[in-house]
Amino acid sequence: MMKTMKAAFGAMALMSTSAMAADDVTLQLKWVTQAQFAGYYVALENGFYAEEDLNVTIKPGGPDVAPVQVLMGGGADVMVDWMPSALAAREQGAPVVNIAQPFKSSGMMLTCRKDTGIESPADFVGNTLGVWFYGNEYPFLSWMSSLGISTEGGDGVTVLKQGFNVDPILQGQAACVSTMTYNEYWQIIDAGLTADDLVTFKYEDQGVATLEDGLYVLEEKLADAEFTGQMERFVRASMKGWKWAEVNPTEAAMIVLEYDETGAQTEKHQVRMMGEIAKLTAGSNGALDVADYERTVATLMGGGSDPVITAEPVGAYTTAITDAALK
């Protein structure tokens, strides 16, 4: 019913704003359909894209989907990605450019069992830590490098390549695992551990937070005035969706559930997730804060002999899209 209403509303909006066909835009998400991406689903469901003469297709991600590869292969016009992954890909030859930054804060944490004796980052040494890979490892590696802690075991830490679950901490395979404030942390709680059983280390609090969930396009496409016009409208509608989701978190979560074709998400988890996500998008109007960008670059380049990126990026972001979209 909700999707039918969306289609009708979208059609009415198009009739009232333009007799021309809407422009097709495909968005590739970083992960599966969940409240992490609520702003885009809200913009689609509430007709915000249709009001901008856009016909938007949202493609969910997953463990076997690399957004950069989809973008490079022409499978999407714009993607959601974390800046460490995007900048590493750019240095390796993928000309991706940040055009907007809906997320102001980082939700990444390392969550540890208190009974391991870990009370501070210095206590990581000698322990096994679960770490996500596929581009998600870069903030962790930068953090360890900044602390002078080897990730090769021995006098450092042993890195366990963590799947996209929290099994290692539940099964005693790792003292700590990678979590997000809005997702995996609550999976641990739901599995039976309590907040008192855990010690969390937010990347924001450790001074090594990097930007997450930005919007990226291919650099060459920014020379096309028609494409940039589409992106201006896309960003404007998307941010309208995000701000609506912040004010209406429960309703936004229910919209996300409507678009979860796998049926894997639960109402409880998505409502809770949306409440946490709203804390991360708060304070952003979609424009990239250059100071946040520079902090991210410094974190990725810092920390000794094995930095995530080796040179100051050139042309890795543009404010032109948000300057036009948000004026």
Side-chain angles (χ1 to χ4, degrees):
M1 174 64 72
M2 189 175 287
K3 291 183 181 180
T4 301
M5 291 174 64
K6 173 190 74 66
F9 183 87
M12 290 174 62
L14 281 174
M15 289 173 62
S16 64
T17 58
S18 176
M20 299 176 63
D23 293 324
D24 293 330
V25 171
T26 299
L27 169 67
Q28 175 63 59
L29 301 181
K30 181 175 175 61
W31 193 238
V32 299
T33 299
Q34 58 182 19
Q36 178 183 357
F37 311 107
Y40 308 111
Y41 288 108
V42 166
L44 182 62
E45 181 67 31
N46 287 357
F48 301 157
Y49 290 133
E51 290 171 1
E52 295 285 355
D53 287 337
L54 295 175
N55 177 36
V56 173
T57 298
I58 302 175
K59 297 174 70 171
D64 300 320
V65 177
V68 171
Q69 293 180 8
V70 175
L71 195 68
M72 292 286 289
D77 301 294
V78 56
M79 69 172 181
V80 176
D81 204 359
W82 288 2
M83 187 168 281
S85 175
L87 291 182
R90 185 174 177 86
E91 185 166 276
Q92 295 162 13
V96 296
V97 177
N98 179 294
I99 62 166
Q101 188 60 46
F103 277 47
K104 175 67 176 177
S105 304
S106 167
M108 198 169 188
M109 302 192 296
L110 205 60
T111 297
C112 308
R113 293 186 67 120
K114 190 176 292 185
D115 58 17
T116 63
I118 293 175
E119 297 179 352
S120 73
D123 300 322
F124 293 156
V125 174
N127 284 287
T128 297
L129 310 182
V131 179
W132 294 316
F133 278 71
Y134 303 103
N136 301 316
E137 72 274 23
Y138 297 132
F140 170 82
L141 295 175
S142 290
W143 183 18
M144 293 301 103
S145 188
S146 71
L147 294 172
I149 298 177
S150 168
T151 56
E152 301 297 330
D155 294 333
V157 298
T158 298
V159 173
L160 173 67
K161 190 174 182 178
Q162 182 182 332
F164 294 101
N165 56 58
V166 294
D167 291 348
I169 198 171
L170 300 176
Q171 299 171 0
Q173 299 169 328
C176 311
V177 292
S178 298
T179 60
M180 302 302 291
T181 57
Y182 51 81
N183 196 0
E184 291 78 13
Y185 173 80
W186 297 103
Q187 292 176 16
I188 296 174
I189 297 296
D190 289 343
L193 294 176
T194 69
D196 290 338
D197 297 324
L198 304 171
V199 179
T200 59
F201 300 91
K202 293 184 179 181
Y203 282 57
E204 287 274 358
D205 296 340
Q206 301 302 314
V208 291
T210 53
L211 288 170
E212 298 162 1
D213 288 60
L215 292 173
Y216 295 82
V217 302
L218 293 179
E219 186 170 3
E220 63 186 27
K221 299 189 75 172
L222 291 171
D224 182 344
E226 181 178 354
F227 177 79
T228 58
Q230 292 172 4
M231 290 300 101
E232 289 165 11
R233 288 180 279 142
F234 175 78
V235 167
R236 183 163 51 241
S238 296
M239 290 313 302
K240 187 175 180 180
W242 274 118
K243 295 307 151 181
W244 191 95
E246 286 179 18
V247 176
N248 305 279
T250 300
E251 293 86 345
M254 299 307 292
I255 288 173
V256 169
L257 287 170
E258 282 287 326
Y259 285 90
D260 174 30
E261 296 183 354
T262 68
Q265 307 293 357
T266 67
E267 180 177 339
K268 174 185 175 182
H269 188 52
Q270 291 307 301
V271 170
R272 185 169 58 191
M273 184 185 292
M274 186 60 236
E276 294 296 324
I277 287 292
K279 299 174 185 177
L280 305 182
T281 58
S284 173
N285 65 356
L288 174 67
D289 185 323
V290 176
D292 291 342
Y293 167 82
E294 291 175 345
R295 182 198 68 223
T296 296
V297 170
T299 298
L300 298 178
M301 292 184 66
S305 61
D306 190 25
V308 172
I309 57 175
T310 60
E312 186 84 24
V314 176
Y317 73 89
T318 178
T319 63
I321 299 297
T322 50
D323 286 348
L326 306 174
K327 64 182 180 181

